[in-house]
Structures are given as C-alpha cells and as structure tokens.
Amino acid sequence: MQLDGIHHITCITADAPINVDFYARVLGLRLVKQTVNFDAPDVYHLYYGDERGAPGSILTFFEFPGAAPGRAGAGMIHSLRWRLSTPEALEFWAGRLESEGVACEHVPGESALRFRDPEGLTLELAVVATADPPLAAESEGIPSEHALLGFDGVRAYSHGLRTAERLLTEVMGFTQAAPGAYVLQGGRRSASYAYDEPPAALGLQGAGTVHHIAWCDRDSDHEAWREHLHEVGAHPTPIIDRQYFLSVYFREPQGVLFELATPSPGFAVDEDPDHLGEELRLPPRYEHLRGRLEQLLTPLENPRTRAARP
Ligand code: ZN
C-alpha cells in the first residue's frame, strides 16, 4: 500500500468572512465547498483547493466564531508550505502580499517566502522542482503561471526523542531525509513532514492553529490501512463517512492528529463542478437543520461568484 501525499489540512478560524477573503481572494485558492462541521453542525466547515478540490490542494477551516487566538506548541503542526513553479512567481507573491498589507520575509537559504494569515498561522510559498501535477486554481488578478500549485508539506513541533519515526517510516512509508525531517515519495504525489523544537509555552488549540492533517490513501486500500494501523497499535477510529471522502483518524506518537482520507467521491458529489462552493451544502442527515443554520451562519460570498457576475 502506498500513500499519495497530503489529502487535506484542517485549521481553525474565528472569522469565516475574513478567512474567505484571505484564502480565496488574496491567495487565489478556489472555495470549493461551504458546508458545516459534521461533528458540530452549528459551525462552518470551509474547503479551499485547486479547480476541482483535488487531494494535495485542499485546505479546510472549521469556523468557531469569536474563538480566542491559539498558538502552536508541542504536538501541533505550526506551518504549511505550498509550491510555486518559478522564482518569478515568488517575486510576484512578494509584491502581491506587500500590496495587501501582509508582511512577508524570504526564508534564509531557500527560494521561499514566509508570512502569516490574518489569525497568525504561519504559511510559506516555495519554489519546488517536482514532476507532481500542478494543482492550481484560477483567480482574478493572479496570472496562472504564478498560482499556488498544491501543498509541499508541513512542519510540526515536537520535543527531542521522536517516537513517531517508526510509525512514519515503517508503517506509513516515509523516508528520513534529515534528522527530524521525512518525505513521502513513490506515490502519485510527494510530501514532506518535519519536526522543530517547540517554544516554551504550551500549545493552545484556537483561531489560527492547525487541527489535523490528512494523508491521501486509495479507495481500495482504505479498509486495509485501518486494519494495518490497528495491528501496529496506532488506535485508528472506525471509518467515518465525510461525504466528500472516507476517513480514519489516529494520533501520531508526538501528538499530531493524523487522518487517512480517500480521493473519492470528491467535491462534485453534491454540486455542479462549475459552481463548487457557491452555496451552503449539507449532508442529507443535516438537511432538516438548513433553515436554522442559514440564519445562524454568517453569509459568505465566494469571490468566484462575484467575478462571474456581469
Ligand atoms: Zn480532515
């Protein structure tokens, strides 16, 4: 069995309208789904990605309105990195972020930019040479050759001894690239996962923090992965239907919440692929709540809808 890189990364926001403006308009990702948190349907679950919401491009946010700012600590992912194709793209982004009032810095020794989202989450854009398919979205004001091309990897905080290494290398198929740094290769898409020493302060889940990362498996392997994780003592959950994919969750030994998610059925399962993310979609079991939820949730405008308007 082979994992195919990152499926999605899920974070927390306290303010969905600001979140949509930043990720869909400023960064140019496509808002591919407006739905609710299936475990707590009173709050939004927003999905961003490339044109179709392909695994490897998907960033999701739970909205907890008014949530206090969090901070990343041990056992939490603290930064996300997307790929760009060329140094010209990197310079385009340095200019675009500056014009949007987003402070950014060049990462020393790398062809990469580092900045923060409106709630303090650390993000990076890096020029990466890869044969992986580019996972880009079309967006007004962003030339297609400069678009974000899907995730490259993430970094997490962990103290010294890394008991996660066996799970990563022997069970999940990562290889160690450097001390505390791992790469997932050989599948349809590669990804990196690395640890840094955590800050002194304890981590706090809240606005601007990462909730979990999902790795992409294959539809026919999902049950076997769950069995395998169970056999090695990783305590996976039962398979859970997330409407757009099937999921199992487990915690890696350093404390980061992992998920394995399937590529199917994808985001076109409940709406026209040309109009993804333009209206609130609910799974059948929550349709009866639609009236109440539409009153409760702050209305959002997908920048794609606005751009299409004559
Ligand atoms: Zn997830």
Side-chain angles (χ1 to χ4, degrees), residues 49-69:
D50 71 350
E51 279 302 293
R52 61 186 183 94
S57 74
I58 307 161
L59 173 67
T60 97
F61 280 86
F62 296 132
E63 186 205 30
F64 294 107

Side-chain angles (χ1 to χ4, degrees), residues 7-10 45 47 60 62 211-214 242 245 247 249 259 261:
H7 186 287
H8 66 268
I9 300 168
T10 292
H45 193 182
Y47 289 77
T60 97
F62 296 132
H211 189 268
H212 65 269
I213 184 167
R242 293 307 190 190
F245 42 84
S247 297
Y249 300 83
E259 172 183 352

